[in-house]
Amino acid sequence: MSAERLQKIIAAAGIASRRKAEELITGGLVSVNGQIVTELGSKADPERDHIRVRGKLLHGAERHVYLLMNKPKGYVTTVKDPEGRPTVMDLLRGIHARVYPVGRLDYASEGLLLLTNDGDLAHRLTHPSFGIEKEYLAEVEGQPSAAVVRRLRRGVELDDGVTAPAKVSAVEPSALRITIHEGRNRQVRRMCDAVGHPVVRLVRTRIGPIVDRRLPPGEWRALSAAEIRELQDTAANGC
């Protein structure tokens, strides 16, 4: 096997997402053949080199696992919560592989959530440069006008800058279907706040090509081979 970037090797081993692997490298927590490596461009051969993360020897890539969950509200989208709140990991039963959530759904939000140990795919699905769409159904206070819908489509000013153009349509007088690709923290809620229609309930209904209207809240399933291929193709090509 030829040399690969360290962050890709670490992600493939299921240790962390590629973004977190980069933080481990720059933080001086990765060594190759006994030498601490801090440069993100560094490469290694996972078949020949001794790679350690936090002092533990890497044993090669794990079999990739891809799960889809319908997250109910009242769960934190993290592996562990310092405040002791329930996490989405508490809903996984019978899974022995190390997986982690792809992106975030806040404590009060519901809907589709991917979990995997494929760090490279997780990076592509969450980094805004790849433009992967996430669709939400937002029940809001009041009845947004056509002008408000147009404003949301164009982009609204938030404290971290103007949002990118979004796909927005009114499906009921007090419900909006909103599709974004940036993935800022609590973005849909903040967008609706900015136009004067705070979110009452928020459900994520699609991640890229992945949709499942039959998966009950709190349940999960493995993605099919066809869904995995679709997801990988979308992550490779964007949108």
Side-chain angles (χ1 to χ4, degrees):
M1 183 179 291
S2 60
E4 299 179 2
R5 289 181 180 272
L6 268 176
Q7 56 264 44
K8 184 175 181 180
I9 296 171
I10 294 169
I15 301 299
S17 68
R18 194 165 73 173
R19 187 178 301 176
K20 182 61 178 178
E22 291 173 352
E23 294 175 5
L24 292 170
I25 294 168
T26 57
L29 298 174
V30 178
S31 67
V32 178
N33 299 326
Q35 299 295 316
I36 298 294
V37 177
T38 58
E39 295 293 328
L40 290 181
S42 301
K43 294 184 177 182
D45 185 337
E47 296 289 339
R48 298 175 180 272
D49 295 320
H50 291 272
I51 304 168
R52 292 183 180 270
V53 179
R54 294 195 180 99
K56 294 184 178 180
L57 185 65
L58 228 59
H59 292 293
E62 291 184 337
R63 181 179 66 87
H64 286 155
V65 176
Y66 305 90
L67 307 178
L68 180 68
M69 176 184 289
N70 186 353
K71 175 195 171 302
K73 65 180 180 180
Y75 286 82
V76 183
T77 310
T78 56
V79 174
K80 294 181 181 179
D81 182 57
E83 299 178 27
R85 293 172 295 180
T87 78
V88 293
M89 307 307 290
D90 297 326
L91 298 171
L92 290 181
R93 295 175 293 278
I95 288 292
H96 303 293
R98 293 175 296 180
V99 297
Y100 46 84
V102 178
R104 294 285 180 94
L105 271 179
D106 64 55
Y107 186 78
S109 295
E110 310 164 50
L112 299 184
L113 175 71
L114 291 169
L115 301 100
T116 187
N117 55 5
D118 185 340
D120 190 55
L121 180 63
H123 172 75
R124 288 176 174 271
L125 292 175
T126 54
H127 198 282
S129 65
F130 293 95
I132 306 302
E133 290 186 343
K134 285 89 174 178
E135 180 184 275
Y136 299 82
L137 183 63
E139 296 180 16
V140 299
E141 294 182 7
Q143 297 184 7
S145 65
V148 165
V149 171
R150 288 194 297 270
R151 186 179 167 196
L152 288 167
R153 288 173 181 164
R154 291 193 303 266
V156 295
E157 181 73 46
L158 303 180
D159 56 10
D160 54 356
V162 179
T163 59
K167 298 176 183 177
V168 184
S169 60
V171 293
E172 291 181 8
S174 295
L176 300 171
R177 180 172 286 110
I178 302 175
T179 303
I180 60 174
H181 56 80
E182 290 182 284
R184 302 189 203 182
N185 185 42
R186 296 172 61 86
Q187 182 174 336
V188 172
R189 291 183 182 276
R190 292 161 61 207
M191 288 170 64
C192 292
D193 284 344
V195 297
H197 294 277
V199 169
V200 175
R201 184 186 181 202
L202 186 64
V203 181
R204 184 155 66 192
T205 54
R206 179 170 63 86
I207 304 170
I210 303 301
V211 178
D212 190 332
R213 295 182 175 87
R214 296 184 178 182
L215 189 62
E219 297 297 321
W220 61 270
R221 65 171 177 82
L223 292 184
S224 68
E227 286 175 321
I228 294 169
R229 286 194 299 271
E230 265 195 300
L231 200 57
Q232 291 171 334
D233 288 345
T234 300
N237 301 316
C239 87

